[in-house]
Amino acid sequence: MFETAVFCVFGAILLFAGLRVITARNPVHAALFLVLAFFTASAIWMLLRAEFLAIALIVVYVGAVMVLFLFVVMMLDINVERLRAGFWKNLPLAVAVGGILVAEMTAILAGRYFGAMPSTEPAGYSNTRALGGILYTQYAYPFEIAAVVLLVAIIAAIALTLRQRKDSRRQDPGEQVRVRKSDRLRIVPMKAESHDPSRAADNAPEGANK
Amino acid sequence: MTDWLLSAAQGTFGQVWGPVVYQTVLNLVLIVAIIVPLMLGVAYLTLWERKLIGWMQIRIGPNRVGPGGLLQPVADGLKLFLKEIILPAKANKGLYVLAPVMALMPALAAWAVIPFAPDVVLADVNAGLLYLLALTSLGVYGVIIAGWASNSKYAFLGAMRSAAQMVSYELAMGFALVVVLMVSGSLNLSDIVEGQGKGRFAAMGWTLLSWNWLPLLPMLVVYFISGVAETNRAPFDVVEGESEIVAGHMIEYSGMSFALFFLAEYMNMWLIAALTVLMFFGGWQAPVAVAPFTWLPPIGWLLIKMFFVVSLFLWIRATFPRYRYDQIMRLGWKIFIPVTLVWIVVVGVWMQTPWSIW
């Protein structure tokens, strides 16, 4: 009973946040509502006792992806009028895509909800351990392949942006660290200067004795 | 005592709501029991910071308010309470008010899973370490929302710097914790501490040498330095950068809204100190299991170790000049992350050999 009530509250917040993501005029607000949506989704997963997935969602999406997303959105100077120009033209397509999404999700979720619910776990059951057990034994090869694909994508992304401009002036920290005193400082042997007070007055800058 | 309270609650609120009320009230009391000492700790950390850095720089530090300056934090708090909270023109009102809350919330919520002594923990959850990783990654929102919402270029520059810096160092920190997780085989913080009390040296009474700091020394260094960077403390405090961007994300804040950022920063320092102690210095365990050392209660050892680590933060601040921004990024991405990745492999191989000590 209590869990159902909590689920309803979270579900309402999630729907509200999701709606605000697409209706908010300010893109920064939209991004922050997306953060709220992720957070609420993670709370609902927590309610289903999938704590590893719930926390992973927060660590990955809320903690890293959305921060960088906000980082970019905040720096944009977005003209709201121009963004809304094609709204009515694109609406039919958007509604069609949204409708298909809803139908697909209903098909998947309804099947699980009306079927048998998973029984309660035995004592000492660790979600993380169970997930790791399946991921690294039964699905070890697909998992490794996914990892390699991601690695290739990372390297490709870096390689695409890595172009050396000839006219750029940049510092090489390694070189800076390797600098020794002898590279920068030259000790010149000089004779000691005399400490005659009458001559020291001559050397004083103008206006000092006024 | 607790049974009696439970039955009293059942008598007053009925069979169904009695246990619910009892649990809620009990948890609230426990939360207050953690928050109040924590707030005091934060208040006196500001004084200790000024005193310690004062002594290091051959000054006296605050000594006017109260005996030896002991009431200085109270005076500071009072002053901040009485100041007006100014809302900058064209600031985004809702987010401007939300930002300090977003900074403080994760710093407070993280304490729920910190074990202070055996079985003395508010929420003994299995995924405690993950929960901490998630919450510490939320701290950056307070800073970037503050920077954007205050409609000021200095605040915004500070927010940009912090977003990049905190996300980068989170990775190194996370990987360092993965190594700890590998050797303890648990995400539960109490289990991680208990695991450090076992081993050849611990059996001989030298618990000190069984703690994670010795076999995982490079991870300790990476974790602690990343912790300093994550809390935006000197020498990584380019986010505030008084000399370049005046005070970064909190420049437009005044009075208590400014104080909340300050509270969050110092609370995060205590949190990183607590985590360093729990992960690497055996938590509440006494360093040597012989008579005079075991007299102190476990929580006493935890607090002593935390105090030492927090003082290390201040010592670093008093010693090193501020990093240049590109050097901060280089340290995080090109040194710490490769070091942690290599050490994950090293420890993984080590654990499979007959010489494994875990």
Side-chain angles (χ1 to χ4, degrees):
Chain A
M1 203 270 298
F2 180 68
E3 274 193 16
T4 321
V6 173
F7 173 78
C8 287
V9 172
F10 283 162
I13 297 175
L14 180 55
L15 279 180
F16 169 75
L19 268 179
R20 290 296 288 150
V21 172
I22 49 173
T23 54
R25 280 169 178 263
N26 192 323
V28 173
H29 289 182
L32 287 172
F33 274 114
L34 190 55
V35 172
L36 179 63
F38 278 133
F39 207 88
T40 326
S42 139
I44 289 177
W45 280 358
M46 195 76 96
L47 216 56
L48 295 171
R49 292 184 183 77
E51 75 257 10
F52 180 78
L53 286 177
I55 296 177
L57 180 72
I58 290 190
V59 171
V60 175
Y61 281 93
V62 179
V65 174
M66 285 313 292
V67 173
L68 298 179
F69 210 80
L70 267 180
F71 186 99
V72 175
V73 169
M74 281 177 176
M75 284 200 283
L76 297 176
D77 184 25
I78 291 174
N79 187 345
V80 181
E81 294 305 313
R82 212 173 56 218
L83 272 182
R84 301 182 75 82
F87 183 75
W88 291 108
K89 201 180 73 187
N90 294 331
L91 190 64
L93 182 65
V95 168
V97 170
I100 293 172
L101 273 179
V102 169
E104 284 176 353
M105 282 171 78
T106 319
I108 294 172
L109 293 178
R112 188 165 299 169
Y113 268 102
F114 296 133
M117 284 293 283
S119 56
T120 48
E121 294 88 3
Y125 173 84
S126 169
N127 206 285
T128 317
R129 195 181 289 273
L131 194 70
I134 292 179
L135 214 54
Y136 289 104
T137 54
Q138 198 176 341
Y139 294 104
Y141 288 116
F143 185 74
E144 291 297 320
I145 291 170
V148 170
V149 168
L150 278 176
L151 183 66
V152 170
I154 293 171
I155 293 172
I158 295 173
L160 282 177
T161 54
L162 193 74
R163 53 193 180 97
Q164 291 284 353
R165 279 176 51 178
K166 288 202 183 66
D167 57 338
S168 75
R169 294 163 181 272
R170 42 201 285 271
Q171 288 152 327
D172 181 358
E175 205 170 300
Q176 290 177 323
V177 169
R178 280 193 297 274
V179 163
R180 291 282 158 264
K181 193 174 79 175
S182 53
D183 300 338
R184 298 283 164 87
L185 189 73
R186 189 164 53 95
I187 295 175
V188 185
M190 282 178 74
K191 269 187 191 156
E193 294 190 18
S194 83
H195 286 284
D196 190 351
S198 62
R199 289 190 55 191
D202 295 345
N203 292 340
E206 268 186 70
N209 49 5
K210 265 182 196 166
Chain B
M1 176 70 180
T2 51
D3 292 339
W4 179 79
L5 281 174
L6 180 58
S7 57
Q10 274 176 341
T12 321
F13 299 100
Q15 281 297 330
V16 181
W17 288 101
V20 177
V21 171
Y22 169 75
Q23 268 302 327
T24 317
V25 172
L26 182 70
N27 277 338
L28 282 178
V29 169
L30 288 178
I31 289 171
V32 171
I34 294 176
I35 299 289
V36 169
L38 184 60
M39 288 291 178
L40 279 177
V42 167
Y44 278 91
L45 181 56
T46 60
L47 178 67
W48 173 239
E49 171 169 35
R50 291 167 70 183
K51 276 282 187 191
L52 186 70
I53 293 181
W55 293 334
M56 284 177 177
Q57 296 168 350
I58 324 180
R59 296 181 285 116
I60 296 174
N63 66 340
R64 292 290 153 191
V65 192
L70 274 181
L71 293 179
Q72 184 71 40
V74 183
D76 289 343
L78 197 66
K79 183 191 79 176
L80 286 167
F81 256 117
L82 296 177
K83 279 196 167 180
E84 184 189 356
I85 295 179
I86 298 165
L87 193 68
K90 288 196 176 178
N92 195 314
K93 285 195 189 66
L95 290 181
Y96 180 81
V97 178
L98 184 70
V101 181
M102 286 295 291
L104 192 62
M105 182 274 293
L108 277 174
W111 289 90
V113 294
I114 302 284
F116 296 97
D119 297 323
V120 183
V121 52
L122 181 61
D124 193 19
V125 293
N126 268 338
L129 196 58
L130 272 176
Y131 171 85
L132 279 171
L133 279 178
L135 276 178
T136 46
S137 68
L138 291 184
V140 64
Y141 278 99
V143 176
I144 53 178
I145 293 178
W148 185 77
S150 28
N151 191 29
S152 153
K153 48 176 154 315
Y154 292 119
F156 191 61
L157 283 172
M160 291 292 111
R161 288 182 177 192
S162 82
Q165 177 180 330
M166 288 168 90
V167 168
S168 319
Y169 277 88
E170 230 168 65
L171 288 172
M173 230 171 153
F175 279 133
L177 290 186
V178 163
V179 179
V180 175
L181 162 68
M182 277 164 61
V183 302
S184 1
S186 170
L187 283 166
N188 185 311
L189 292 175
S190 302
D191 289 351
I192 291 175
V193 173
E194 294 291 346
Q196 294 179 53
K198 294 170 195 145
R200 188 179 299 166
F201 290 112
M204 285 161 32
W206 292 94
T207 326
L208 173 73
L209 298 174
S210 276
W211 295 343
N212 279 342
W213 68 273
L214 192 59
L216 305 182
L217 194 61
M219 290 304 99
L220 169 65
V221 173
V222 168
Y223 183 78
F224 183 70
I225 296 177
S226 305
V228 178
E230 191 73 6
T231 46
N232 296 328
R233 295 285 305 176
F236 301 100
D237 59 343
V238 291
V239 173
E240 294 174 32
E242 302 94 334
S243 52
E244 313 143 30
I245 51 172
V246 282
H249 58 285
M250 43 188 169
I251 178 65
E252 301 291 344
Y253 284 82
S254 64
M256 266 328 269
S257 59
F258 165 76
L260 285 187
F261 281 112
F262 222 72
L263 277 180
E265 180 177 330
Y266 281 77
M267 223 172 270
N268 276 327
M269 275 167 70
W270 276 119
L271 184 69
I272 296 290
L275 286 178
T276 313
V277 170
L278 290 174
M279 303 293 163
F280 297 101
F281 291 109
W284 57 74
Q285 293 165 1
V288 185
V290 291
F293 293 97
T294 47
W295 290 345
L296 200 65
I299 191 164
W301 277 117
L302 184 76
L303 293 181
I304 286 178
K305 291 173 189 172
M306 276 166 67
F307 178 73
F308 171 75
V309 178
V310 153
S311 302
L312 214 56
F313 269 86
L314 309 182
W315 188 6
I316 288 175
R317 178 180 161 185
T319 310
F320 295 111
R322 185 177 294 142
Y323 258 97
R324 210 172 58 203
Y325 195 73
D326 62 318
Q327 290 173 335
I328 291 183
M329 282 303 168
R330 176 173 167 268
L331 184 71
W333 286 99
K334 293 190 180 170
I335 298 177
F336 280 176
I337 292 179
V339 164
T340 47
L341 285 176
V342 166
W343 206 251
I344 285 178
V345 176
V346 167
V347 172
V349 171
W350 186 1
M351 288 175 73
Q352 299 304 320
T353 59
W355 301 285
S356 168
I357 55 172
W358 291 286

